[in-house]
Amino acid sequence: MLTARSEMHELAIHFDVPEHGISLKTFSQAIAHTETIISSLNRDIFNDHLQYELWVLPPEKGSFKAKLGIIVLAGTIAWGFLESNIGQSFIQGLTGKTPAYWAEIAGKKIRSTILSSDTEENDNDTASKKVICVAEAILIVEVTKKFLELKEDKLTSLGVSVKKFRSAYEAKNKFYKVCMENTYIQGIGFEEEEKFPVSRQNFQSMQVSLPEKELADNIWNTEITELKVTSPNWERNDNHRWWKGKDTDNRTVHFKIEDDGFWNLVENKSINLQIIDSIRVQLAYVGEQRHRRNARALKILWFNETFLSPPLQVNQVYDILRMNKKASPPRHQLDFFSSE
């Protein structure tokens, strides 16, 4: 059986200090801000679909490294985005390698463990899922390292702008502020080796001005669209696996269904669940249409060829969205109020 350590990928935060030690305050705050960066990148890149555990590992003698271990608990959802043209371009721009390259590294990392296992984990499907989990762990580590190491202008040129990744930049600001406050730290590195690409004189320039928070976080878009369902999930309370479908432009959409009326029909077996091809939904999401985040199907209007419900009015949509967070009135397409 695979051990937790065999599925873990490590992130080293290497402090250049003269006596190989730093204060507990610096250590704990650096770890906390790094954890926030990882969480923010998961939200903004993977739409919160990456399920992982973060471990703090003991430092080694002879240097001071804050070591974090990341274990991805369930793959494939985030991997769908990584295999898209946008995902591949994004990852290659940041890490210099394609997702396929990192999947190959993940395969080599766990292959010997899988081959030596006498359990049912030897089957190809389970082995593939394990490879994807490890690959996603490797990728979040590599992306986090580059995010901490590169300056804003370089990150922006790769599509990692302050506006789009505000919370991650905010945590990065705090990370380098903590490092500045500790006068013993002369540099920071993110590898096992004693290499420190970010010197103390650059700690200040690593901190950036942040836009108003509401501009980044509080704008919802809504639309009525057709989705071809590729992976349903009939467990309403399952928060780990979302529905998956393709929109009319063949873009992958991960979404939750929050329509009580639809779920009542499911519970009462009033619709045929054996065959599901397409649905027409009233969708709310954050971000651009080509990369929807936090997508929520507020109403299921059509299920295959069966009409279920008219769309919600705008005041109803606004009430639903502001129950979860302070949201600006939703922006919508011209056909938002159309009914058929």
Side-chain angles (χ1 to χ4, degrees):
M1 179 178 292
L2 292 177
T3 64
R5 197 60 179 260
S6 70
E7 298 178 44
M8 180 184 295
H9 195 63
E10 297 178 6
L11 168 62
I13 304 172
H14 206 152
F15 298 93
D16 182 12
V17 289
E19 297 180 358
H20 305 306
I22 59 174
S23 69
L24 177 61
K25 177 182 176 181
T26 300
F27 175 82
S28 61
Q29 289 185 347
I31 291 291
H33 298 322
T34 303
E35 181 180 12
T36 300
I37 289 171
I38 292 171
S39 175
S40 299
L41 293 175
N42 178 31
R43 186 192 69 186
D44 294 330
I45 298 174
F46 299 116
N47 199 21
D48 271 334
H49 289 142
L50 203 64
Q51 302 165 46
Y52 62 89
E53 288 182 351
L54 193 62
W55 293 32
V56 179
L57 306 178
E60 299 172 357
K61 294 182 178 179
S63 65
F64 197 92
K65 286 178 285 194
K67 298 184 71 174
L68 301 179
I70 295 178
I71 301 173
V72 171
L73 304 177
T76 71
I77 293 181
W79 196 255
F81 163 70
L82 293 172
E83 288 188 315
S84 69
N85 290 335
I86 296 172
Q88 290 187 48
S89 175
F90 182 86
I91 294 301
Q92 185 158 11
L94 269 177
T95 70
K97 304 291 184 181
T98 64
Y101 169 84
W102 296 113
E104 184 178 352
I105 297 298
K108 292 177 180 178
K109 180 178 173 67
I110 66 172
R111 186 172 294 121
S112 60
T113 309
I114 293 175
L115 292 175
S116 64
S117 172
D118 294 327
T119 70
E120 295 179 357
E121 293 190 50
N122 281 318
D123 68 87
N124 290 333
D125 184 59
T126 300
S128 296
K129 290 179 180 178
K130 293 293 185 184
V131 170
I132 289 176
C133 284
V134 175
E136 289 178 354
I138 292 173
L139 276 168
I140 197 65
V141 167
E142 295 300 319
V143 168
T144 301
K145 283 159 53 175
K146 288 300 181 183
F147 182 77
L148 281 165
E149 183 179 325
L150 298 177
K151 291 187 176 181
E152 177 196 355
D153 57 347
K154 178 62 176 177
L155 288 170
T156 298
S157 71
L158 297 172
V160 189
S161 65
V162 178
K163 181 178 180 180
K164 187 174 181 181
F165 292 84
R166 184 191 185 282
S167 59
Y169 274 99
E170 182 178 20
K172 183 177 179 178
N173 283 354
K174 293 177 180 178
F175 176 93
Y176 280 106
K177 184 175 184 291
V178 166
C179 294
M180 281 185 64
E181 290 172 348
N182 188 315
T183 57
Y184 292 104
I185 299 175
Q186 299 304 307
I188 298 289
F190 305 100
E191 305 293 343
E192 293 291 331
E193 301 82 13
E194 292 195 7
K195 297 179 180 178
F196 307 101
V198 185
S199 63
R200 183 172 187 83
Q201 64 185 13
N202 290 323
F203 288 174
Q204 181 66 53
S205 63
M206 284 292 185
Q207 300 171 62
V208 302
S209 299
L210 300 173
E212 291 294 328
K213 191 169 185 177
E214 64 178 11
L215 296 178
D217 293 338
N218 294 342
I219 296 178
W220 286 92
N221 291 292
T222 60
E223 64 177 308
I224 291 175
T225 187
E226 297 277 350
L227 295 176
K228 180 180 180 181
V229 177
T230 56
S231 179
N233 181 11
W234 299 111
E235 296 294 331
R236 183 177 187 179
N237 296 321
D238 182 358
N239 293 319
H240 298 296
R241 189 170 73 83
W242 290 19
W243 286 59
K244 181 179 179 181
K246 295 278 189 179
D247 66 10
T248 54
D249 293 314
N250 204 36
R251 289 183 292 243
T252 298
V253 183
H254 298 283
F255 59 99
K256 292 189 289 186
I257 295 181
E258 302 181 359
D259 181 352
D260 290 336
F262 171 78
W263 286 113
N264 287 336
L265 292 173
V266 171
E267 183 178 350
N268 296 329
K269 299 181 180 179
S270 299
I271 53 177
N272 183 5
L273 307 184
Q274 302 302 315
I275 301 174
I276 177 169
D277 180 39
S278 65
I279 56 177
R280 186 168 176 82
V281 300
Q282 187 172 19
L283 204 65
Y285 57 91
V286 176
E288 300 176 0
Q289 192 179 57
R290 63 188 180 88
H291 186 202
R292 302 173 180 91
R293 293 187 287 109
N294 302 329
R296 305 164 59 183
L298 305 180
K299 270 292 178 185
I300 306 300
L301 312 182
W302 290 78
F303 183 89
N304 288 336
E305 301 299 322
T306 303
F307 174 77
L308 300 185
S309 173
L312 298 168
Q313 296 297 312
V314 68
N315 61 319
Q316 295 173 300
V317 173
Y318 187 29
D319 287 342
I320 291 172
L321 296 180
R322 71 179 179 180
M323 285 176 64
N324 294 85
K325 64 180 185 178
K326 295 178 181 178
S328 299
R331 298 180 295 188
H332 51 78
Q333 295 183 329
L334 292 177
D335 67 344
F336 182 81
F337 295 106
S338 64
S339 59
E340 299 177 3

